[in-house]
Amino acid sequence: KITFHRHPLRPTTSMPTHFKLYGTMPILSPEADGVYNIFRDSPLRYCGYANEVGESFRYQYPRLVTPSYILAFGYCLADAGSAGYRILTEEDSATQDVDKRSNQTRAAIATFDTLLWQTLASVAIPGGVINMVVKASRFAVARSVGLPAILTKWLPTASGLGSIPFIITPIDNAVDFALDNSTRKYLNYTE
């Protein structure tokens, strides 16, 4: 069985020492052999959070919301494609000893899992949460008396942007738990 990630930026250590998990697939860790995942190990990772920024600015710049979701979903698709391609092209027999399925099957499962995880944890759930935070802040600000106009306009946006760092880990953990107890269990890809 292959162990899945807990978070795209935090590799697990339950694999042999020369392997770590980045995303939904085992690859050699950068510490071991210099394998670099551009979607997880570079600033490109922040493209997955573009929709949260778009949701925060929804009421000031509504035309930015759709492009922010396009950018975030594009990141999800590229990461999923990369995950599948990496497994499809691997020649390493160590992974074959862990999972007897063909490279094509493992690549399809890794692509599906990465796309599902990224869609839920990076786009759908955080976008909805930020939208609710901004709406609640707008409601509260609209009911407040005597606030300067600039605060009335920008406080909801600031609350949306400010909440992003606090929602990431709980959402990631919830999505991990949900997938570990649903699709990953069904696909026999659990810890």
Side-chain angles (χ1 to χ4, degrees):
K1 292 182 180 181
I2 293 178
T3 307
F4 276 89
H5 64 79
R6 292 290 104 216
H7 185 276
L9 299 177
R10 289 189 302 255
T12 64
T13 56
S14 58
M15 296 284 289
T17 55
H18 64 288
F19 277 97
K20 289 201 177 173
L21 291 178
Y22 286 86
T24 58
M25 66 201 162
I27 60 172
L28 292 173
S29 69
E31 300 84 36
D33 283 343
V35 174
Y36 178 75
N37 183 340
I38 192 165
F39 296 104
R40 307 270 168 78
D41 301 327
S42 75
L44 189 58
R45 169 71 181 115
Y46 297 108
C47 288
Y49 302 116
N51 65 304
E52 285 96 327
V53 175
E55 283 293 344
S56 294
F57 283 96
R58 176 179 286 276
Y59 295 103
Q60 280 74 22
Y61 304 104
R63 290 184 179 188
L64 290 179
V65 175
T66 301
S68 73
Y69 273 92
I70 291 170
L71 181 61
F73 273 119
Y75 168 81
C76 294
L77 289 170
D79 188 24
S82 173
Y85 180 77
R86 212 173 275 125
I87 288 181
L88 190 62
T89 59
E90 76 182 6
E91 300 284 332
D92 190 36
S93 61
T95 306
Q96 288 289 352
D97 293 339
V98 175
D99 189 348
K100 300 293 184 191
R101 292 181 261 202
S102 71
N103 274 6
Q104 291 85 2
T105 302
R106 290 183 305 112
I109 291 170
T111 301
F112 170 75
D113 185 78
T114 303
L115 184 60
L116 182 59
W117 193 93
Q118 288 286 9
T119 299
L120 291 173
S122 296
V123 179
I125 297 171
V129 170
I130 297 297
N131 186 291
M132 285 188 256
V133 166
V134 172
K135 274 186 182 179
S137 298
R138 281 181 53 110
F139 180 80
V141 166
R143 302 300 182 268
S144 299
V145 181
L147 283 177
I150 194 154
L151 276 180
T152 304
K153 180 177 182 178
W154 290 102
L155 194 58
T157 299
S159 66
L161 290 172
S163 65
I164 293 171
F166 298 105
I167 68 169
I168 292 171
T169 301
I171 290 172
D172 289 350
N173 292 338
V175 172
D176 279 329
F177 179 79
L179 294 184
D180 285 346
N181 291 292
S182 60
T183 58
R184 292 175 182 165
K185 189 179 275 188
Y186 174 74
L187 296 171
N188 197 23
Y189 258 50
T190 59
E191 290 189 81

